[in-house]
Amino acid sequence: MKYVKGYTKDDYRNAPTVLEFETIEQASEYLANKYKQSAEYMIRSIKDDTNCDAIYFDDGSVILREL
């Protein structure tokens, strides 16, 4: 999901395990390897996320929250 305006990266870093990636492509490669899916599928999954597990920002970076 795209970050909510008014929130910062620090607001999303409060999970026990947070992974940060410089680009959505790097995050999608990580998830593709973890879940045995294509990188393209994982990019769509990051963009369509609704529960704040994957948040992407205007600068292209991504935060993955793993519980």
Side-chain angles (χ1 to χ4, degrees):
M1 81 177 243
K2 187 165 183 166
Y3 77 101
V4 177
K5 292 200 186 294
Y7 285 82
T8 67
K9 289 181 185 180
D10 286 334
D11 295 318
Y12 292 104
R13 291 178 174 137
N14 62 359
T17 304
V18 176
L19 303 174
E20 295 189 44
F21 298 89
E22 291 182 19
T23 67
I24 198 168
E25 290 80 14
Q26 290 173 340
S28 69
E29 285 295 326
Y30 168 80
L31 292 171
N33 289 328
K34 183 175 180 175
Y35 295 111
K36 309 298 186 231
Q37 297 288 332
S38 72
E40 294 80 18
Y41 174 81
M42 296 316 299
I43 287 174
R44 288 191 310 273
S45 296
I46 291 168
K47 289 181 176 181
D48 294 340
D49 181 74
T50 59
N51 63 358
C52 294
D53 286 340
I55 302 99
Y56 68 97
F57 297 86
D58 287 338
D59 66 1
S61 64
V62 173
I63 291 179
L64 299 178
R65 296 173 51 182
E66 298 190 330
L67 303 174

